[in-house]
């Protein structure tokens, strides 16, 4: 990361969360001005930051999916609407079937199968089809956990299946009429420039770190942090504080 002047507004704990959430900065580049955006997994480590950056990129409407919807409506995440997936099925929402999204960004896994399943049931889609500019973007496979017993198995999950969907959603007339284009980013850039952009946005007041923790750097604290990650219900980026911060000299 390049040096950013005047970073007094960002604490080391916040900086750790922001650096880890840098994929949100890359995903935000996909968002176009005046779009209606649905973010699956909007309360997690990447989603809670992407929801904020969607506004920075000019999104007209942002809806988040989480089992804690009120948190998504509150600052700093500040979604326009939030849906509790344990209570409501977003794919059957008449509200969004009548006024569909331009883009779905899936950070929770399983969005594409759910979307295609809803179309098989002849339900109106909650996202515009490809011919009208609709897009589905994800950085995760269909399942959060999977068996990778061979190189072919890994390539099937992260290459063959996404590539087939990406091509089919763009060239097949039936797919273009009923489904959005499919894009899966498996190798997002991991460069200093991305981290610098993320920290600069925070320094300019356009992005606020959302931290789950910090957890103590002891056996109980580390175990609690890993249990939170394993649960897939982190409220922001999970941060472990390795040492106490030095006190400022008076």
């Amino acid at each position: 990361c390049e040096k950013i002047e005047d970073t007094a507004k960002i604490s080391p704990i916040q900086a750790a969360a922001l650096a880890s959430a840098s994929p949100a900065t890359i995903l935000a580049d996909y968002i176009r001005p005046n779009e209606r955006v649905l973010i699956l997994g909007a309360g997690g480590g990447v989603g809670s930051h992407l929801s904020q950056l969607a506004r920075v990129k000019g999104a007209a409407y942002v809806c988040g999916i989480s089992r804690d919807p009120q948190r998504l409506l509150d600052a700093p995440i500040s979604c326009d609407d939030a849906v509790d997936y344990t209570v409501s099925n977003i794919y059957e929402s008449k509200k969004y079937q009548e006024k569909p999204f331009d883009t779905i960004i899936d950070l929770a896994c399983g969005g594409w199968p759910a979307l295609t399943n809803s179309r098989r049931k002849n339900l109106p889609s909650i996202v515009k089809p490809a011919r009208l500019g609709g897009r589905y973007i994800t950085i995760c496979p269909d399942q959060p956990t999977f068996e990778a017993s061979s190189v072919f198995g890994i390539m099937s999950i992260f290459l063959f299946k996404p590539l087939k969907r990406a091509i089919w959603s763009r060239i097949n007339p039936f797919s273009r009429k009923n489904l959005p284009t499919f894009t899966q980013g498996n190798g997002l850039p991991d460069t200093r420039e991305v981290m610098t952009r993320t920290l600069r946005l925070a320094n300019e007041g356009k992005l606020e770190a959302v931290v789950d923790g910090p957890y103590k750097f002891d056996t109980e604290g580390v175990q609690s942090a890993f249990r939170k990650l394993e649960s897939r219900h982190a409220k922001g980026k999970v941060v472990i504080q390795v040492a106490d911060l030095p006190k400022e000299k008076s």
Side-chain angles (χ1 to χ4, degrees):
C1 175
E2 298 175 11
K3 183 178 180 181
I4 299 176
E5 301 298 334
D6 187 25
T7 55
K9 301 176 184 177
I10 306 174
S11 72
I13 291 172
Q14 291 172 326
L18 290 165
S20 181
S22 289
T25 305
I26 303 169
L27 289 170
D29 289 338
Y30 285 96
I31 297 173
R32 301 163 181 163
N34 300 316
E35 278 195 326
R36 292 169 55 81
V37 180
L38 172 66
I39 301 176
L40 309 180
V46 175
S48 56
H49 297 87
L50 177 60
S51 299
Q52 300 176 58
L53 292 178
R55 287 295 192 200
V56 176
K57 290 295 182 177
Y61 187 90
V62 180
C63 176
I65 305 298
S66 170
R67 69 173 186 173
D68 187 2
Q70 185 57 50
R71 179 172 160 269
L72 301 188
L73 299 174
D74 297 336
I77 301 176
S78 303
C79 289
D80 294 292
D81 189 19
V83 176
D84 184 347
Y85 66 85
T86 67
V87 176
S88 302
N89 183 352
I90 185 67
Y91 302 98
E92 297 178 0
S93 168
K94 292 184 178 180
K95 174 181 177 180
Y96 294 121
Q97 288 172 348
E98 294 174 357
K99 196 169 183 180
F101 296 99
D102 298 286
T103 299
I104 294 178
I105 300 180
D106 183 4
L107 305 172
C109 300
W112 185 260
L115 185 63
T116 55
N117 186 53
S118 71
R119 299 302 291 133
R120 290 192 190 98
K121 295 179 180 178
N122 292 320
L123 296 176
S125 180
I126 62 167
V127 61
K128 294 177 181 177
R131 65 184 179 86
L132 297 179
R135 300 178 299 160
Y136 172 94
I137 301 165
T138 186
I139 58 173
C140 50
D142 292 343
Q143 299 293 333
T145 58
F146 49 87
E147 183 178 346
S149 57
S150 66
V151 173
F152 181 82
I154 296 173
M155 292 181 68
S156 176
I157 294 171
F158 291 100
L159 178 60
F160 300 144
K161 184 182 290 185
L163 186 59
K164 179 181 177 181
R165 290 174 176 174
I167 295 173
W168 195 250
S169 66
R170 286 167 170 80
I171 66 172
N172 181 269
F174 177 81
S175 182
R176 286 185 54 79
K177 182 180 178 181
N178 293 279
L179 293 169
T181 58
F182 178 94
T183 300
Q184 180 166 326
N186 292 325
L188 298 179
D190 182 17
T191 64
R192 294 193 306 170
E193 184 268 338
V194 175
M195 193 178 299
T196 299
R197 284 174 57 199
T198 305
L199 293 175
R200 183 169 286 122
L201 286 164
N203 199 47
E204 293 171 352
K206 298 177 180 177
L207 177 64
E208 183 175 330
V210 182
V211 179
D212 190 326
Y215 294 84
K216 292 183 178 180
F217 188 55
D218 56 23
T219 301
E220 182 180 353
V222 172
Q223 288 179 342
S224 295
F226 273 90
R227 279 195 294 268
K228 178 57 72 73
L229 287 172
E230 187 178 16
S231 74
R232 303 183 67 245
H233 295 304
K235 297 181 177 181
K237 270 296 176 182
V238 174
V239 175
I240 297 173
Q241 185 171 337
V242 177
D244 293 332
L245 301 177
K247 295 182 179 180
E248 297 183 0
K249 296 181 180 180
S250 56

